[in-house]
Amino acid sequence: MGVAKPLSHEEIAEGLAELPGWEQQGEVITRTYPIRYHAAVAAIVTIADRSRRIQHHADLDLRIDSLRASITTHDAGNRLSAADFDLAHRIDAIVAAHQAIPLD
């Protein structure tokens, strides 16, 4: 696998259009999921396993009622690459499978 190619502003905008709930903060994309604590812990284990398999990792921040994922490509100089958007799609699916539901 070669060095990841940073995306253009247009490519980033296109990628975000396909990822409701995700937003760009500098050279990072991030999303906060409302999710119950124990469901989030289970989701984190699955995210970690999938991340290991694809050799791309998110920064995860667990709170009592939410999970925040932040992604950038370190191998691309801490810039956004296609791998970030692929991982974001995977995280969305994993969190949905772990019953991410709005809190009352």
Side-chain angles (χ1 to χ4, degrees), residues 6-94:
L7 298 175
S8 68
H9 294 293
E10 294 79 18
E11 291 169 318
I12 293 169
E14 289 172 11
L16 286 172
E18 297 176 8
L19 287 166
W22 286 84
E23 60 185 36
Q24 182 179 5
Q25 294 181 351
E27 289 297 329
V28 174
I29 56 172
T30 186
R31 179 172 181 186
T32 300
Y33 301 90
I35 184 172
R36 300 197 189 288
Y37 185 83
H38 289 91
V41 170
I44 288 170
V45 170
T46 305
I47 292 166
D49 179 62
R50 296 306 182 274
S51 296
R52 178 188 56 79
R53 292 180 187 193
I54 64 170
Q55 295 297 302
H56 195 57
H57 303 85
D59 290 328
L60 302 172
D61 180 22
L62 174 62
R63 302 296 168 159
I64 192 69
D65 60 358
S66 66
L67 174 63
R68 180 180 173 165
S70 300
I71 310 170
T72 192
T73 301
H74 303 289
D75 293 343
N78 293 317
R79 298 200 40 212
L80 292 166
S81 74
D84 300 315
F85 291 89
D86 174 62
L87 181 55
H89 282 286
R90 293 171 189 260
I91 292 172
D92 279 349
I94 291 166

